């Protein structure tokens, strides 16, 4: 998984991933979520796998976003790689012709476990960036605040305008 991350994400995001791991009687979740400073405008950086099958699931994406609701702008999407292992009898793969979408027989349990896993990971990690200088991926207020908290000094620019030059 780690070696494949290089193919999916840039180095800056990889260095700011938070590991996920949770297991209960029905589901095992492993993977990574990126810190809130690293978001995208679409869900194209959300990689979801159930029993090693790549899927697209709007409800899981919504569950992921809800856990970031106080940390990112409403239009932004978290970056994540989630690997779910669920007993085959709890998954219906015949929902979509190309098997990209699935249905869970106990979707509330699945979504609650995902939510708890992400929430615990976010609560147990320092959310400031490990880099002092990088190009921001997001422009939301919280992301800016978190980025600014890691800067060792503040750079202030004073722009003076010579009005005679401007009028000429």
């Amino acid at each position: 998984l780690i070696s494949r991350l290089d193919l999916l994400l840039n180095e800056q995001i990889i260095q700011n991933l938070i590991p996920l791991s949770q297991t209960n009687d029905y589901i095992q979740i492993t993977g990574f979520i990126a810190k809130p400073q690293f978001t995208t405008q679409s869900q194209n950086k959300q990689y979801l796998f159930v029993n090693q099958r790549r899927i697209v699931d709007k409800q899981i994406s919504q569950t992921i976003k809800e856990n970031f609701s106080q940390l990112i702008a409403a239009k932004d999407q978290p970056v994540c790689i989630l690997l779910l292992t669920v007993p085959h009898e709890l998954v219906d793969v015949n929902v979509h012709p190309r098997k990209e979408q699935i249905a869970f027989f106990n979707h509330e349990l699945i979504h609650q476990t995902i939510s708890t896993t992400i929430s615990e990971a976010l609560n147990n990690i320092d959310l400031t960036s490990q880099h002092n200088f990088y190009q921001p991926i997001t422009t939301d207020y919280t992301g800016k605040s978190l980025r600014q908290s890691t800067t060792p000094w503040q750079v202030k620019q004073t722009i003076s305008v010579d009005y005679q030059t401007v009028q000429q």
Side-chain angles (χ1 to χ4, degrees), residues 74-132:
K75 65 181 186 277
D76 291 343
Q77 295 293 327
V79 175
C80 69
I81 298 100
L82 282 184
L83 306 163
L84 287 72
T85 304
V86 182
H88 295 285
E89 59 272 9
L90 298 179
V91 179
D92 182 3
V93 296
N94 294 316
V95 174
H96 189 272
R98 292 188 312 233
K99 312 291 191 224
E100 292 175 344
Q101 297 173 358
I102 62 171
F104 296 104
F105 290 110
N106 192 345
H107 66 87
E108 290 177 19
L109 174 67
I110 304 295
H111 292 278
Q112 182 59 42
T113 305
I114 292 169
S115 181
T116 301
T117 303
I118 293 172
S119 178
E120 288 175 1
L122 289 172
N123 288 333
N124 293 326
I125 192 93
D126 177 12
L127 292 177
T128 58
S129 177
Q130 299 300 316
H131 298 286
N132 290 332

Side-chain angles (χ1 to χ4, degrees), residues 37-88:
Q37 299 94 318
F38 301 93
T39 60
T40 61
Q41 297 294 311
S42 69
Q43 295 174 352
N44 67 345
K45 294 291 184 192
Q46 290 184 357
Y47 301 96
L48 308 174
F49 296 87
V50 174
N51 297 339
Q52 301 180 353
R53 178 190 306 265
R54 174 91 195 267
I55 64 159
V56 176
D57 190 306
K58 292 182 191 263
Q59 290 180 333
I60 290 177
S61 293
Q62 184 62 32
T63 299
I64 295 165
K65 185 170 171 98
E66 286 171 3
N67 281 277
F68 281 81
S69 65
Q70 301 297 316
L71 301 171
I72 63 175
K75 65 181 186 277
D76 291 343
Q77 295 293 327
V79 175
C80 69
I81 298 100
L82 282 184
L83 306 163
L84 287 72
T85 304
V86 182
H88 295 285

Side-chain angles (χ1 to χ4, degrees), residues 10-53:
N10 67 40
E11 183 65 29
Q12 196 171 34
I13 294 175
I14 292 171
Q15 292 178 1
N16 285 281
L17 290 175
I18 303 167
L20 299 173
S21 181
Q22 177 83 315
T23 302
N24 65 29
D25 293 340
Y26 298 101
I27 183 172
Q28 176 186 8
I29 300 174
T30 57
F32 301 93
I33 53 171
K35 289 185 177 182
Q37 299 94 318
F38 301 93
T39 60
T40 61
Q41 297 294 311
S42 69
Q43 295 174 352
N44 67 345
K45 294 291 184 192
Q46 290 184 357
Y47 301 96
L48 308 174
F49 296 87
V50 174
N51 297 339
Q52 301 180 353
R53 178 190 306 265

